[in-house]
Amino acid sequence: MSSFPAQQHESDMLDEAQLQADSELALDPAAVALGSGGSLLSGLVREARPKQWIKNLLVLTAPLAAGTIGHTKTLRPVAVAFVAFCLAASAVYYANDSLDVEADRAHPTKCRRPIAAGIVPIKLAWVCAAVLGAAALVVAASENAGLAALVAIYLAMHLSYSAWFKHVLVVDLALVAGGFLLRAMAGGVAAGIDLSQWFLLTTAFGSLFMVAGKRFSEMILMGEGAATTRRSLAMYTTSYLRFIWQTMAGLAILTYSLWAFDLDRSAHGVHWHEISIVAWSFLFLRYAMFVDAGKAGEPEDVVLGDKVIMAIGAGWLVLFAIGVFNGH
């Protein structure tokens, strides 16, 4: 009988120690990651975000618009541009997540990123960023100086964005959108293709639409806590961001339409470029539905995850391609 209180006291001490250990584990992202089976190698791969390399397919747009996408002399430089921007983008992801590690840990989904979760040490992440950035420049320079210059500008823009300009209203949107524009230009610069002013304007406005839509979705998702993960969102309002993405959608459709009319100016028979305006417009209408609902925080997930957008996009591509190759 006399041993019962001592046993009870020992049990209480063990329970308290377990609770303290659990609390420490919950506060230590590295421990959580290792406990859940996270490995350094898989973390390094995931941090490079190969899934988002789909954005770099924008290097194909200039050769497609020029009708040279199937030429052997075009495919090699475009492939080099794609690889260079994949390396550069991954370098930026490493650098950005290293700088944003504390904010990412407060985000409902970004907290799972390898650096935020403690799987990839910050010092190693910076080494990876430097190696990938240097590799991107070397690969780009192997093709021509123009492509190397674009990659260098891309790295400078996004690294300065990550370090300073992400907190400057409107400038932050412009820099992120500029990354998409540089990708679209890269294919043409690598392959020596002249870039149309309408092509550049359409790409620029479309990029701003995507970026503003992403910020708008983040505000809808996070609500009052949005500023804890992205400081600039404390100064934006949903009404202002809505104004931006709606305006950019209209301008992207307008400039594309002017471009399509310009391309079909000397065409005979069916004006395929002009017909493609319908599909192009519905692409924006469908994507805007996700933006308005606050579900466009990850653009690549929206595009790849919605069969209707994929179908409309395929229809637009067919119409545009027919127009291009019908005119050559």
Side-chain angles (χ1 to χ4, degrees), residues 115-321:
I115 295 176
I119 299 173
V120 176
I122 293 179
K123 289 184 179 180
L124 177 58
W126 280 114
V127 171
C128 291
V131 170
L132 289 168
L137 290 171
V138 170
V139 170
S142 70
E143 187 56 45
N144 59 52
L147 180 59
L150 285 182
V151 172
I153 293 171
Y154 174 88
L155 288 169
M157 282 175 50
H158 280 72
L159 291 175
S160 63
Y161 163 84
S162 298
W164 302 291
F165 295 118
K166 66 168 57 179
H167 306 306
V168 182
L169 268 66
V170 181
V171 174
D172 63 326
L173 301 179
L175 287 177
V176 177
F180 290 99
L181 180 60
L182 289 173
R183 288 176 172 95
M185 294 173 61
V189 171
I193 299 170
D194 293 332
L195 301 173
S196 162
Q197 61 179 348
W198 295 120
F199 167 77
L200 295 175
L201 285 171
T202 300
T203 304
F205 291 137
S207 299
L208 276 170
F209 163 73
M210 299 282 282
V211 174
K214 178 181 173 70
R215 295 290 182 270
F216 179 84
S217 293
E218 288 176 348
M219 289 195 71
I220 296 298
L221 174 65
M222 296 294 293
E224 295 181 356
T228 61
T229 59
R230 195 182 297 276
R231 196 193 312 170
S232 63
L233 293 181
M235 296 174 281
Y236 282 120
T237 62
T238 52
S239 59
Y240 180 66
L241 289 172
R242 184 188 295 275
F243 163 74
I244 294 177
W245 66 258
Q246 289 181 340
T247 301
M248 292 305 109
L251 287 172
I253 294 172
L254 173 63
T255 52
Y256 178 83
S257 299
L258 293 171
W259 183 25
F261 286 123
D262 186 58
L263 289 171
D264 278 348
R265 186 169 47 188
S266 59
H268 300 286
V270 179
H271 289 206
W272 294 102
H273 285 116
E274 294 177 21
I275 295 174
S276 73
I277 295 172
V278 177
W280 180 256
S281 300
F282 274 100
L283 267 178
F284 279 81
L285 292 177
R286 179 71 182 183
Y287 189 89
M289 182 181 72
F290 290 92
V291 175
D292 192 57
K295 298 178 180 179
E298 299 294 339
E300 62 278 3
D301 289 343
V302 175
V303 173
L304 296 177
D306 186 68
K307 293 181 179 179
V308 177
I309 287 182
M310 294 288 284
I312 296 173
W316 166 78
L317 184 60
V318 169
L319 291 170
F320 188 86

